[in-house]
């Protein structure tokens, strides 16, 4: 079964089943896995686990939802030519937004359990300030073994 069919099948199962599931994805073999990861994240239900197994490369900002577990067994590398969104803390007088690799969805997130893996970015590729992982409004979450 090819990768796209496996992902679509897994997402279909998530929408049919009304229980906690674990979804596993592997790198697509292309130069950018951002859409694969984001599509899978968007299909998760509360309490689900996303297992990323392998060495992933991504080239655009990934937005995390609430109430899920992320387990990286491998690496997640930001590509040299990534087209990143700006994210970060903003109030009426201060903007601490930066180019960002991974952040929460608009409005914030809660109850994320994120662990494992190795995260790579080559700072020489970015002449402007950037943040690989940048959370402005994430609460009641755990980030460990990273």
């Amino acid at each position: 079964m090819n990768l796209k069919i496996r992902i679509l099948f897994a997402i279909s199962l998530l929408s049919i089943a009304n229980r906690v599931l674990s979804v596993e994805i592997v790198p697509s073999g292309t130069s950018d896995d951002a859409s694969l990861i984001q599509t899978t994240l968007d299909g998760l239900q509360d309490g689900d686990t996303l297992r990323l197994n392998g060495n992933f490369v991504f080239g655009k900002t990934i937005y995390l939802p609430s109430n899920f577990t992320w387990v990286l067994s491998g690496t997640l590398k930001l590509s040299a030519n990534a087209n990143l969104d700006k994210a970060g803390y903003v109030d009426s007088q201060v903007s601490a937004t930066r180019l960002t690799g991974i952040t929460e969805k608009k409005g914030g997130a809660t109850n994320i359990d994120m662990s494992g893996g190795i995260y790579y970015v080559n700072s020489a590729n970015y002449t402007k300030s950037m943040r690989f992982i940048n959370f402005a409004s994430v609460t009641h979450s755990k980030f460990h073994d990273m």
Side-chain angles (χ1 to χ4, degrees):
M1 195 182 298
N2 76 28
L3 182 62
K4 285 188 178 185
I5 292 173
R6 284 183 17 204
I7 295 301
L8 291 175
F9 179 71
I11 291 171
S12 296
L13 285 177
L14 287 173
S15 62
I16 293 170
N18 193 12
R19 58 191 169 104
V20 175
L21 293 175
S22 179
V23 177
E24 179 180 322
I25 60 174
V26 295
S28 64
T30 68
S31 61
D32 191 353
D33 295 309
S35 294
L36 168 67
I37 295 168
Q38 191 65 61
T39 299
T40 306
L41 285 168
D42 292 344
L44 296 178
Q45 301 294 316
D46 286 355
D48 287 347
T49 297
L50 172 60
R51 297 184 183 283
L52 298 106
N53 290 318
N55 299 317
F56 294 85
V57 176
F58 71 105
K60 58 186 175 184
T61 303
I62 295 171
Y63 292 91
L64 302 182
S66 292
N67 303 311
F68 83 104
T69 299
W70 162 296
V71 179
L72 174 61
S73 297
T75 62
L76 189 61
K77 181 180 179 181
L78 187 61
S79 66
N81 58 349
N83 183 15
L84 301 175
D85 297 336
K86 284 190 172 184
Y89 178 78
V90 178
D91 71 15
S92 61
Q93 298 179 15
V94 175
S95 173
T97 60
R98 300 288 186 274
L99 296 174
T100 297
I102 300 172
T103 192
E104 75 274 10
K105 287 192 172 191
K106 188 174 181 175
T110 187
N111 197 26
I112 297 171
D113 186 347
M114 193 171 183
S115 65
I118 299 171
Y119 297 78
Y120 288 110
V121 63
N122 183 347
S123 61
N125 295 331
Y126 298 93
T127 57
K128 296 181 180 179
S129 178
M130 68 87 57
R131 293 184 178 134
F132 189 86
I133 299 175
N134 186 14
F135 296 129
S137 185
V138 172
T139 59
H140 305 290
S141 297
K142 295 185 281 183
F143 304 94
H144 49 102
D145 301 326
M146 298 168 75

